[in-house]
């Protein structure tokens, strides 16, 4: 019985030591969104955009939703620590237009981006990425990837416009 108590105490001590987290004692810090940490070449792995327009046509509300999804990506995003971004490559967009619940158009298009230059800035709290004046919320940022999205709405003359965009990039 005495041996059992000794083994139990040793097991509890080992379990307590193993449950300690590096963060508890000032170990590893969170990977902060800064231009220096973001700098590098990333490949685009996911893109989706949903544009919604609601218009009043002679008293009837007409809602048009255009959904665009990218695939077959061969696009590189090169973030430089000085705040410049060069995007190069191509991918395919597949789109669908739905008006009041009925599909009115479907199609696809190859998008070619030829070393386009942009400027960018970052904010770490809250995590935001601004590319040439458009500010995205960063949902994931670590040593290997960045994911960011845009959720923007506006109204003009009774019409409402909403844009939702999502990008996912993996560090090369």
């Amino acid at each position: 019985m005495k041996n059992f108590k000794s083994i139990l105490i040793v097991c509890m001590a080992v379990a307590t030591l193993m449950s300690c987290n590096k963060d508890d004692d000032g170990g590893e810090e969170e990977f902060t969104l800064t231009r220096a940490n973001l700098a590098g070449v990333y490949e685009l792995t996911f893109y989706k955009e949903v544009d919604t327009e609601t218009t009043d046509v002679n008293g009837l509300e007409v809602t048009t939703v255009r959904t665009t999804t990218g695939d077959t990506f061969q696009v590189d995003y090169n973030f430089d620590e000085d705040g410049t971004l060069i995007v190069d490559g191509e991918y395919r967009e597949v789109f669908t237009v739905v008006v009041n619940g009925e599909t009115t158009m479907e199609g696809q298009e190859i998008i070619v981006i030829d070393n386009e230059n942009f400027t960018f800035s970052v904010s770490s709290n809250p995590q935001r990425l601004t590319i040439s004046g458009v500010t995205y919320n960063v949902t994931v940022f670590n040593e290997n990837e960045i994911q960011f999205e845009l959720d923007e709405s506006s109204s003009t003359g009774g019409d409402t416009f909403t844009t939702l965009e999502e990008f996912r990039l993996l560090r090369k």
Side-chain angles (χ1 to χ4, degrees), residues 53-100:
E53 177 183 356
T54 304
T55 307
D56 185 321
V57 179
N58 296 325
L60 296 172
E61 189 174 270
V62 176
T63 301
T64 303
V65 179
R66 178 185 170 106
T67 303
T68 304
T69 305
D71 63 23
T72 321
F73 297 107
Q74 298 173 354
V75 179
D76 288 339
Y77 280 64
N78 188 350
F79 291 93
D80 197 319
E81 194 171 339
D82 70 0
T84 59
L85 166 63
I86 298 172
V87 182
D88 185 52
E90 57 187 54
Y91 67 99
R92 182 177 76 143
E93 284 186 348
V94 177
F95 66 89
T96 304
V97 178
V98 176
V99 179
N100 284 351

mmCIF file of all heavy atoms in Angstrom, residues 53-100:
data_model
loop_
_atom_site.group_PDB
_atom_site.id
_atom_site.type_symbol
_atom_site.label_atom_id
_atom_site.label_comp_id
_atom_site.label_asym_id
_atom_site.label_seq_id
_atom_site.Cartn_x
_atom_site.Cartn_y
_atom_site.Cartn_z
ATOM 1 N N GLU A 53 -26.380 42.570 -54.597
ATOM 2 C CA GLU A 53 -26.994 43.869 -54.869
ATOM 3 C C GLU A 53 -28.503 43.723 -54.716
ATOM 4 O O GLU A 53 -29.117 42.831 -55.305
ATOM 5 C CB GLU A 53 -26.672 44.338 -56.290
ATOM 6 C CG GLU A 53 -27.340 45.648 -56.651
ATOM 7 C CD GLU A 53 -27.074 46.067 -58.095
ATOM 8 O OE1 GLU A 53 -26.312 45.389 -58.795
ATOM 9 O OE2 GLU A 53 -27.654 47.079 -58.511
ATOM 10 N N THR A 54 -29.083 44.587 -53.893
ATOM 11 C CA THR A 54 -30.528 44.603 -53.717
ATOM 12 C C THR A 54 -31.043 45.930 -54.237
ATOM 13 O O THR A 54 -30.599 46.990 -53.801
ATOM 14 C CB THR A 54 -30.908 44.417 -52.236
ATOM 15 O OG1 THR A 54 -30.319 43.210 -51.765
ATOM 16 C CG2 THR A 54 -32.407 44.338 -52.058
ATOM 17 N N THR A 55 -31.972 45.859 -55.205
ATOM 18 C CA THR A 55 -32.482 47.041 -55.895
ATOM 19 C C THR A 55 -34.005 47.027 -55.869
ATOM 20 O O THR A 55 -34.636 45.975 -55.991
ATOM 21 C CB THR A 55 -32.019 47.035 -57.368
ATOM 22 O OG1 THR A 55 -30.607 46.876 -57.402
ATOM 23 C CG2 THR A 55 -32.395 48.307 -58.081
ATOM 24 N N ASP A 56 -34.581 48.213 -55.748
ATOM 25 C CA ASP A 56 -36.041 48.362 -55.830
ATOM 26 C C ASP A 56 -36.381 48.703 -57.282
ATOM 27 O O ASP A 56 -35.982 49.746 -57.798
ATOM 28 C CB ASP A 56 -36.509 49.476 -54.894
ATOM 29 C CG ASP A 56 -38.022 49.586 -54.856
ATOM 30 O OD1 ASP A 56 -38.672 49.433 -55.910
ATOM 31 O OD2 ASP A 56 -38.549 49.840 -53.767
ATOM 32 N N VAL A 57 -37.133 47.801 -57.942
ATOM 33 C CA VAL A 57 -37.549 48.017 -59.327
ATOM 34 C C VAL A 57 -39.066 48.122 -59.334
ATOM 35 O O VAL A 57 -39.775 47.129 -59.208
ATOM 36 C CB VAL A 57 -37.070 46.865 -60.250
ATOM 37 C CG1 VAL A 57 -37.549 47.103 -61.684
ATOM 38 C CG2 VAL A 57 -35.568 46.704 -60.187
ATOM 39 N N ASN A 58 -39.558 49.355 -59.461
ATOM 40 C CA ASN A 58 -41.002 49.616 -59.484
ATOM 41 C C ASN A 58 -41.729 48.952 -58.318
ATOM 42 O O ASN A 58 -42.763 48.320 -58.485
ATOM 43 C CB ASN A 58 -41.622 49.157 -60.812
ATOM 44 C CG ASN A 58 -41.078 49.927 -61.982
ATOM 45 O OD1 ASN A 58 -40.789 51.125 -61.879
ATOM 46 N ND2 ASN A 58 -40.926 49.247 -63.108
ATOM 47 N N GLY A 59 -41.161 49.085 -57.116
ATOM 48 C CA GLY A 59 -41.791 48.549 -55.919
ATOM 49 C C GLY A 59 -41.459 47.096 -55.622
ATOM 50 O O GLY A 59 -41.865 46.575 -54.597
ATOM 51 N N LEU A 60 -40.740 46.426 -56.509
ATOM 52 C CA LEU A 60 -40.351 45.039 -56.283
ATOM 53 C C LEU A 60 -38.859 44.995 -55.934
ATOM 54 O O LEU A 60 -38.037 45.621 -56.590
ATOM 55 C CB LEU A 60 -40.589 44.177 -57.524
ATOM 56 C CG LEU A 60 -42.042 44.023 -57.970
ATOM 57 C CD1 LEU A 60 -42.107 43.301 -59.310
ATOM 58 C CD2 LEU A 60 -42.815 43.234 -56.922
ATOM 59 N N GLU A 61 -38.541 44.229 -54.902
ATOM 60 C CA GLU A 61 -37.147 44.089 -54.504
ATOM 61 C C GLU A 61 -36.491 43.000 -55.348
ATOM 62 O O GLU A 61 -36.966 41.866 -55.390
ATOM 63 C CB GLU A 61 -37.057 43.734 -53.020
ATOM 64 C CG GLU A 61 -35.651 43.788 -52.482
ATOM 65 C CD GLU A 61 -35.618 43.575 -50.984
ATOM 66 O OE1 GLU A 61 -35.703 44.571 -50.247
ATOM 67 O OE2 GLU A 61 -35.497 42.403 -50.570
ATOM 68 N N VAL A 62 -35.402 43.365 -56.038
ATOM 69 C CA VAL A 62 -34.655 42.420 -56.860
ATOM 70 C C VAL A 62 -33.281 42.237 -56.224
ATOM 71 O O VAL A 62 -32.548 43.201 -56.027
ATOM 72 C CB VAL A 62 -34.515 42.924 -58.318
ATOM 73 C CG1 VAL A 62 -33.656 41.972 -59.135
ATOM 74 C CG2 VAL A 62 -35.883 43.120 -58.944
ATOM 75 N N THR A 63 -32.945 40.981 -55.915
ATOM 76 C CA THR A 63 -31.654 40.677 -55.309
ATOM 77 C C THR A 63 -30.820 39.867 -56.296
ATOM 78 O O THR A 63 -31.253 38.806 -56.759
ATOM 79 C CB THR A 63 -31.831 39.882 -54.003
ATOM 80 O OG1 THR A 63 -32.624 40.661 -53.102
ATOM 81 C CG2 THR A 63 -30.491 39.577 -53.356
ATOM 82 N N THR A 64 -29.652 40.385 -56.595
ATOM 83 C CA THR A 64 -28.721 39.718 -57.498
ATOM 84 C C THR A 64 -27.483 39.327 -56.703
ATOM 85 O O THR A 64 -26.875 40.163 -56.038
ATOM 86 C CB THR A 64 -28.316 40.658 -58.654
ATOM 87 O OG1 THR A 64 -29.501 41.096 -59.330
ATOM 88 C CG2 THR A 64 -27.386 39.960 -59.635
ATOM 89 N N VAL A 65 -27.112 38.049 -56.774
ATOM 90 C CA VAL A 65 -25.942 37.539 -56.064
ATOM 91 C C VAL A 65 -24.983 36.930 -57.087
ATOM 92 O O VAL A 65 -25.358 36.022 -57.834
ATOM 93 C CB VAL A 65 -26.325 36.471 -55.014
ATOM 94 C CG1 VAL A 65 -25.079 35.946 -54.309
ATOM 95 C CG2 VAL A 65 -27.325 37.026 -54.019
ATOM 96 N N ARG A 66 -23.770 37.463 -57.123
ATOM 97 C CA ARG A 66 -22.722 36.912 -57.988
ATOM 98 C C ARG A 66 -21.688 36.260 -57.075
ATOM 99 O O ARG A 66 -21.084 36.925 -56.235
ATOM 100 C CB ARG A 66 -22.071 37.994 -58.829
ATOM 101 C CG ARG A 66 -20.941 37.444 -59.708
ATOM 102 C CD ARG A 66 -20.205 38.543 -60.466
ATOM 103 N NE ARG A 66 -19.018 38.039 -61.087
ATOM 104 C CZ ARG A 66 -18.867 37.817 -62.384
ATOM 105 N NH1 ARG A 66 -19.867 38.058 -63.204
ATOM 106 N NH2 ARG A 66 -17.730 37.355 -62.864
ATOM 107 N N THR A 67 -21.510 34.955 -57.256
ATOM 108 C CA THR A 67 -20.537 34.195 -56.471
ATOM 109 C C THR A 67 -19.391 33.788 -57.391
ATOM 110 O O THR A 67 -19.621 33.176 -58.439
ATOM 111 C CB THR A 67 -21.185 32.938 -55.852
ATOM 112 O OG1 THR A 67 -22.299 33.346 -55.059
ATOM 113 C CG2 THR A 67 -20.184 32.180 -54.998
ATOM 114 N N THR A 68 -18.181 34.152 -56.993
ATOM 115 C CA THR A 68 -16.990 33.836 -57.773
ATOM 116 C C THR A 68 -16.047 33.025 -56.897
ATOM 117 O O THR A 68 -15.733 33.432 -55.778
ATOM 118 C CB THR A 68 -16.278 35.129 -58.229
ATOM 119 O OG1 THR A 68 -17.209 35.940 -58.945
ATOM 120 C CG2 THR A 68 -15.080 34.818 -59.095
ATOM 121 N N THR A 69 -15.597 31.884 -57.410
ATOM 122 C CA THR A 69 -14.668 31.027 -56.686
ATOM 123 C C THR A 69 -13.464 30.770 -57.580
ATOM 124 O O THR A 69 -13.624 30.447 -58.761
ATOM 125 C CB THR A 69 -15.330 29.689 -56.312
ATOM 126 O OG1 THR A 69 -16.526 29.964 -55.586
ATOM 127 C CG2 THR A 69 -14.416 28.840 -55.466
ATOM 128 N N GLY A 70 -12.284 30.900 -56.996
ATOM 129 C CA GLY A 70 -11.065 30.633 -57.752
ATOM 130 C C GLY A 70 -10.612 29.198 -57.589
ATOM 131 O O GLY A 70 -10.910 28.539 -56.597
ATOM 132 N N ASP A 71 -9.882 28.704 -58.602
ATOM 133 C CA ASP A 71 -9.245 27.391 -58.512
ATOM 134 C C ASP A 71 -8.058 27.353 -59.473
ATOM 135 O O ASP A 71 -7.768 28.335 -60.151
ATOM 136 C CB ASP A 71 -10.238 26.248 -58.765
ATOM 137 C CG ASP A 71 -10.844 26.230 -60.159
ATOM 138 O OD1 ASP A 71 -10.245 26.797 -61.094
ATOM 139 O OD2 ASP A 71 -11.917 25.631 -60.331
ATOM 140 N N THR A 72 -7.372 26.247 -59.524
ATOM 141 C CA THR A 72 -6.205 26.046 -60.389
ATOM 142 C C THR A 72 -5.207 27.189 -60.208
ATOM 143 O O THR A 72 -4.786 27.829 -61.156
ATOM 144 C CB THR A 72 -6.643 25.909 -61.871
ATOM 145 O OG1 THR A 72 -7.839 25.144 -61.949
ATOM 146 C CG2 THR A 72 -5.562 25.226 -62.688
ATOM 147 N N PHE A 73 -4.829 27.423 -58.971
ATOM 148 C CA PHE A 73 -3.989 28.572 -58.629
ATOM 149 C C PHE A 73 -2.531 28.359 -59.008
ATOM 150 O O PHE A 73 -1.952 27.309 -58.733
ATOM 151 C CB PHE A 73 -4.065 28.855 -57.124
ATOM 152 C CG PHE A 73 -5.443 29.226 -56.658
ATOM 153 C CD1 PHE A 73 -6.190 28.331 -55.916
ATOM 154 C CD2 PHE A 73 -5.987 30.450 -56.964
ATOM 155 C CE1 PHE A 73 -7.448 28.657 -55.474
ATOM 156 C CE2 PHE A 73 -7.258 30.793 -56.530
ATOM 157 C CZ PHE A 73 -7.996 29.889 -55.783
ATOM 158 N N GLN A 74 -1.953 29.380 -59.605
ATOM 159 C CA GLN A 74 -0.523 29.490 -59.869
ATOM 160 C C GLN A 74 -0.149 30.949 -59.634
ATOM 161 O O GLN A 74 0.409 31.615 -60.504
ATOM 162 C CB GLN A 74 -0.191 29.069 -61.292
ATOM 163 C CG GLN A 74 -0.530 27.626 -61.592
ATOM 164 C CD GLN A 74 -0.352 27.286 -63.055
ATOM 165 O OE1 GLN A 74 -0.072 28.121 -63.892
ATOM 166 N NE2 GLN A 74 -0.518 26.007 -63.368
ATOM 167 N N VAL A 75 -0.495 31.456 -58.448
ATOM 168 C CA VAL A 75 -0.334 32.876 -58.139
ATOM 169 C C VAL A 75 0.553 33.035 -56.909
ATOM 170 O O VAL A 75 0.325 32.391 -55.884
ATOM 171 C CB VAL A 75 -1.707 33.543 -57.863
ATOM 172 C CG1 VAL A 75 -1.529 35.017 -57.531
ATOM 173 C CG2 VAL A 75 -2.637 33.367 -59.047
ATOM 174 N N ASP A 76 1.548 33.903 -57.026
ATOM 175 C CA ASP A 76 2.434 34.222 -55.911
ATOM 176 C C ASP A 76 2.182 35.646 -55.436
ATOM 177 O O ASP A 76 2.025 36.570 -56.246
ATOM 178 C CB ASP A 76 3.902 34.107 -56.323
ATOM 179 C CG ASP A 76 4.340 32.673 -56.509
ATOM 180 O OD1 ASP A 76 3.689 31.765 -55.957
ATOM 181 O OD2 ASP A 76 5.345 32.455 -57.218
ATOM 182 N N TYR A 77 2.151 35.799 -54.106
ATOM 183 C CA TYR A 77 2.076 37.103 -53.452
ATOM 184 C C TYR A 77 3.432 37.308 -52.786
ATOM 185 O O TYR A 77 3.802 36.546 -51.896
ATOM 186 C CB TYR A 77 0.991 37.111 -52.379
ATOM 187 C CG TYR A 77 -0.417 37.297 -52.891
ATOM 188 C CD1 TYR A 77 -1.015 36.364 -53.724
ATOM 189 C CD2 TYR A 77 -1.159 38.405 -52.510
ATOM 190 C CE1 TYR A 77 -2.307 36.532 -54.173
ATOM 191 C CE2 TYR A 77 -2.460 38.578 -52.953
ATOM 192 C CZ TYR A 77 -3.026 37.638 -53.787
ATOM 193 O OH TYR A 77 -4.308 37.815 -54.229
ATOM 194 N N ASN A 78 4.167 38.318 -53.206
ATOM 195 C CA ASN A 78 5.489 38.599 -52.652
ATOM 196 C C ASN A 78 5.406 39.868 -51.806
ATOM 197 O O ASN A 78 5.398 40.979 -52.333
ATOM 198 C CB ASN A 78 6.511 38.753 -53.777
ATOM 199 C CG ASN A 78 7.926 38.861 -53.269
ATOM 200 O OD1 ASN A 78 8.162 39.013 -52.061
ATOM 201 N ND2 ASN A 78 8.879 38.806 -54.175
ATOM 202 N N PHE A 79 5.307 39.682 -50.478
ATOM 203 C CA PHE A 79 5.251 40.796 -49.539
ATOM 204 C C PHE A 79 6.676 41.195 -49.173
ATOM 205 O O PHE A 79 7.448 40.358 -48.714
ATOM 206 C CB PHE A 79 4.504 40.405 -48.260
ATOM 207 C CG PHE A 79 3.034 40.177 -48.442
ATOM 208 C CD1 PHE A 79 2.540 38.910 -48.705
ATOM 209 C CD2 PHE A 79 2.136 41.235 -48.331
ATOM 210 C CE1 PHE A 79 1.184 38.690 -48.855
ATOM 211 C CE2 PHE A 79 0.777 41.021 -48.482
ATOM 212 C CZ PHE A 79 0.295 39.748 -48.753
ATOM 213 N N ASP A 80 7.031 42.452 -49.384
ATOM 214 C CA ASP A 80 8.352 42.945 -49.019
ATOM 215 C C ASP A 80 8.229 43.749 -47.729
ATOM 216 O O ASP A 80 7.227 44.427 -47.500
ATOM 217 C CB ASP A 80 8.919 43.826 -50.134
ATOM 218 C CG ASP A 80 10.412 44.026 -50.017
ATOM 219 O OD1 ASP A 80 10.907 44.222 -48.887
ATOM 220 O OD2 ASP A 80 11.096 43.989 -51.049
ATOM 221 N N GLU A 81 9.248 43.682 -46.897
ATOM 222 C CA GLU A 81 9.224 44.371 -45.611
ATOM 223 C C GLU A 81 9.059 45.882 -45.756
ATOM 224 O O GLU A 81 8.593 46.557 -44.842
ATOM 225 C CB GLU A 81 10.511 44.047 -44.841
ATOM 226 C CG GLU A 81 10.443 44.432 -43.395
ATOM 227 C CD GLU A 81 11.627 43.925 -42.585
ATOM 228 O OE1 GLU A 81 12.297 42.966 -43.013
ATOM 229 O OE2 GLU A 81 11.859 44.495 -41.510
ATOM 230 N N ASP A 82 9.383 46.437 -46.935
ATOM 231 C CA ASP A 82 9.249 47.884 -47.144
ATOM 232 C C ASP A 82 7.815 48.323 -47.459
ATOM 233 O O ASP A 82 7.548 49.498 -47.678
ATOM 234 C CB ASP A 82 10.210 48.370 -48.235
ATOM 235 C CG ASP A 82 9.829 47.900 -49.633
ATOM 236 O OD1 ASP A 82 8.811 47.195 -49.797
ATOM 237 O OD2 ASP A 82 10.570 48.232 -50.583
ATOM 238 N N GLY A 83 6.869 47.368 -47.493
ATOM 239 C CA GLY A 83 5.466 47.713 -47.723
ATOM 240 C C GLY A 83 5.032 47.582 -49.169
ATOM 241 O O GLY A 83 3.957 48.063 -49.534
ATOM 242 N N THR A 84 5.844 46.929 -50.001
ATOM 243 C CA THR A 84 5.427 46.697 -51.381
ATOM 244 C C THR A 84 4.995 45.235 -51.529
ATOM 245 O O THR A 84 5.515 44.338 -50.867
ATOM 246 C CB THR A 84 6.547 47.004 -52.402
ATOM 247 O OG1 THR A 84 7.678 46.188 -52.112
ATOM 248 C CG2 THR A 84 6.931 48.460 -52.370
ATOM 249 N N LEU A 85 4.032 45.039 -52.404
ATOM 250 C CA LEU A 85 3.491 43.713 -52.687
ATOM 251 C C LEU A 85 3.472 43.540 -54.197
ATOM 252 O O LEU A 85 2.972 44.407 -54.915
ATOM 253 C CB LEU A 85 2.070 43.595 -52.127
ATOM 254 C CG LEU A 85 1.225 42.404 -52.599
ATOM 255 C CD1 LEU A 85 1.844 41.077 -52.179
ATOM 256 C CD2 LEU A 85 -0.201 42.520 -52.074
ATOM 257 N N ILE A 86 4.022 42.428 -54.666
ATOM 258 C CA ILE A 86 3.972 42.098 -56.091
ATOM 259 C C ILE A 86 3.190 40.796 -56.212
ATOM 260 O O ILE A 86 3.499 39.803 -55.557
ATOM 261 C CB ILE A 86 5.384 41.936 -56.691
ATOM 262 C CG1 ILE A 86 6.150 43.259 -56.569
ATOM 263 C CG2 ILE A 86 5.299 41.491 -58.150
ATOM 264 C CD1 ILE A 86 7.599 43.169 -56.960
ATOM 265 N N VAL A 87 2.154 40.816 -57.061
ATOM 266 C CA VAL A 87 1.319 39.640 -57.294
ATOM 267 C C VAL A 87 1.539 39.209 -58.735
ATOM 268 O O VAL A 87 1.465 40.025 -59.660
ATOM 269 C CB VAL A 87 -0.171 39.939 -57.035
ATOM 270 C CG1 VAL A 87 -1.015 38.689 -57.245
ATOM 271 C CG2 VAL A 87 -0.379 40.493 -55.629
ATOM 272 N N ASP A 88 1.814 37.911 -58.917
ATOM 273 C CA ASP A 88 2.118 37.402 -60.252
ATOM 274 C C ASP A 88 1.570 35.987 -60.396
ATOM 275 O O ASP A 88 1.707 35.168 -59.486
ATOM 276 C CB ASP A 88 3.640 37.389 -60.470
ATOM 277 C CG ASP A 88 4.003 36.989 -61.887
ATOM 278 O OD1 ASP A 88 3.456 37.590 -62.829
ATOM 279 O OD2 ASP A 88 4.827 36.065 -62.050
ATOM 280 N N GLY A 89 0.962 35.718 -61.548
ATOM 281 C CA GLY A 89 0.501 34.363 -61.838
ATOM 282 C C GLY A 89 -0.858 34.349 -62.494
ATOM 283 O O GLY A 89 -1.328 35.358 -63.024
ATOM 284 N N GLU A 90 -1.483 33.186 -62.430
ATOM 285 C CA GLU A 90 -2.808 33.056 -63.034
ATOM 286 C C GLU A 90 -3.617 32.004 -62.285
ATOM 287 O O GLU A 90 -3.076 31.158 -61.590
ATOM 288 C CB GLU A 90 -2.711 32.707 -64.513
ATOM 289 C CG GLU A 90 -1.952 31.454 -64.822
ATOM 290 C CD GLU A 90 -1.749 31.262 -66.313
ATOM 291 O OE1 GLU A 90 -1.223 32.165 -66.983
ATOM 292 O OE2 GLU A 90 -2.128 30.174 -66.791
ATOM 293 N N TYR A 91 -4.929 32.118 -62.447
ATOM 294 C CA TYR A 91 -5.861 31.162 -61.853
ATOM 295 C C TYR A 91 -7.166 31.238 -62.615
ATOM 296 O O TYR A 91 -7.362 32.121 -63.458
ATOM 297 C CB TYR A 91 -6.077 31.430 -60.356
ATOM 298 C CG TYR A 91 -6.797 32.726 -60.040
ATOM 299 C CD1 TYR A 91 -8.159 32.723 -59.754
ATOM 300 C CD2 TYR A 91 -6.134 33.943 -60.024
ATOM 301 C CE1 TYR A 91 -8.832 33.897 -59.455
ATOM 302 C CE2 TYR A 91 -6.793 35.115 -59.728
ATOM 303 C CZ TYR A 91 -8.135 35.092 -59.450
ATOM 304 O OH TYR A 91 -8.801 36.260 -59.166
ATOM 305 N N ARG A 92 -8.051 30.323 -62.335
ATOM 306 C CA ARG A 92 -9.352 30.304 -62.989
ATOM 307 C C ARG A 92 -10.413 30.759 -62.008
ATOM 308 O O ARG A 92 -10.393 30.387 -60.831
ATOM 309 C CB ARG A 92 -9.673 28.887 -63.468
ATOM 310 C CG ARG A 92 -11.015 28.788 -64.221
ATOM 311 C CD ARG A 92 -11.239 27.394 -64.716
ATOM 312 N NE ARG A 92 -11.637 26.540 -63.595
ATOM 313 C CZ ARG A 92 -12.524 25.565 -63.684
ATOM 314 N NH1 ARG A 92 -13.092 25.268 -64.841
ATOM 315 N NH2 ARG A 92 -12.832 24.832 -62.628
ATOM 316 N N GLU A 93 -11.338 31.578 -62.501
ATOM 317 C CA GLU A 93 -12.522 31.975 -61.727
ATOM 318 C C GLU A 93 -13.750 31.303 -62.324
ATOM 319 O O GLU A 93 -13.938 31.309 -63.536
ATOM 320 C CB GLU A 93 -12.744 33.490 -61.778
ATOM 321 C CG GLU A 93 -11.826 34.282 -60.926
ATOM 322 C CD GLU A 93 -12.184 35.767 -60.887
ATOM 323 O OE1 GLU A 93 -13.008 36.239 -61.694
ATOM 324 O OE2 GLU A 93 -11.623 36.448 -60.029
ATOM 325 N N VAL A 94 -14.555 30.717 -61.460
ATOM 326 C CA VAL A 94 -15.834 30.149 -61.852
ATOM 327 C C VAL A 94 -16.900 31.005 -61.170
ATOM 328 O O VAL A 94 -16.823 31.245 -59.969
ATOM 329 C CB VAL A 94 -15.950 28.679 -61.402
ATOM 330 C CG1 VAL A 94 -17.320 28.115 -61.756
ATOM 331 C CG2 VAL A 94 -14.837 27.832 -62.013
ATOM 332 N N PHE A 95 -17.866 31.498 -61.961
ATOM 333 C CA PHE A 95 -18.854 32.393 -61.365
ATOM 334 C C PHE A 95 -20.272 31.951 -61.691
ATOM 335 O O PHE A 95 -20.531 31.282 -62.683
ATOM 336 C CB PHE A 95 -18.637 33.841 -61.810
ATOM 337 C CG PHE A 95 -18.864 34.073 -63.281
ATOM 338 C CD1 PHE A 95 -20.122 34.395 -63.777
ATOM 339 C CD2 PHE A 95 -17.810 33.972 -64.174
ATOM 340 C CE1 PHE A 95 -20.326 34.605 -65.126
ATOM 341 C CE2 PHE A 95 -18.001 34.187 -65.521
ATOM 342 C CZ PHE A 95 -19.260 34.492 -66.006
ATOM 343 N N THR A 96 -21.168 32.363 -60.800
ATOM 344 C CA THR A 96 -22.599 32.116 -60.950
ATOM 345 C C THR A 96 -23.334 33.387 -60.567
ATOM 346 O O THR A 96 -23.002 34.011 -59.553
ATOM 347 C CB THR A 96 -23.064 30.971 -60.021
ATOM 348 O OG1 THR A 96 -22.291 29.806 -60.299
ATOM 349 C CG2 THR A 96 -24.528 30.654 -60.215
ATOM 350 N N VAL A 97 -24.324 33.767 -61.366
ATOM 351 C CA VAL A 97 -25.167 34.918 -61.050
ATOM 352 C C VAL A 97 -26.585 34.400 -60.806
ATOM 353 O O VAL A 97 -27.153 33.697 -61.648
ATOM 354 C CB VAL A 97 -25.163 35.955 -62.192
ATOM 355 C CG1 VAL A 97 -26.091 37.127 -61.858
ATOM 356 C CG2 VAL A 97 -23.746 36.450 -62.462
ATOM 357 N N VAL A 98 -27.125 34.756 -59.644
ATOM 358 C CA VAL A 98 -28.467 34.324 -59.258
ATOM 359 C C VAL A 98 -29.301 35.567 -58.994
ATOM 360 O O VAL A 98 -28.903 36.433 -58.207
ATOM 361 C CB VAL A 98 -28.421 33.422 -57.997
ATOM 362 C CG1 VAL A 98 -29.821 33.052 -57.542
ATOM 363 C CG2 VAL A 98 -27.574 32.184 -58.255
ATOM 364 N N VAL A 99 -30.450 35.673 -59.686
ATOM 365 C CA VAL A 99 -31.359 36.802 -59.506
ATOM 366 C C VAL A 99 -32.649 36.275 -58.897
ATOM 367 O O VAL A 99 -33.304 35.409 -59.489
ATOM 368 C CB VAL A 99 -31.640 37.526 -60.847
ATOM 369 C CG1 VAL A 99 -32.617 38.677 -60.647
ATOM 370 C CG2 VAL A 99 -30.344 38.015 -61.475
ATOM 371 N N ASN A 100 -32.987 36.791 -57.721
ATOM 372 C CA ASN A 100 -34.188 36.364 -56.992
ATOM 373 C C ASN A 100 -34.319 34.842 -56.936
ATOM 374 O O ASN A 100 -35.389 34.280 -57.163
ATOM 375 C CB ASN A 100 -35.448 36.990 -57.584
ATOM 376 C CG ASN A 100 -35.590 38.440 -57.185
ATOM 377 O OD1 ASN A 100 -34.859 38.945 -56.351
ATOM 378 N ND2 ASN A 100 -36.530 39.131 -57.812
#
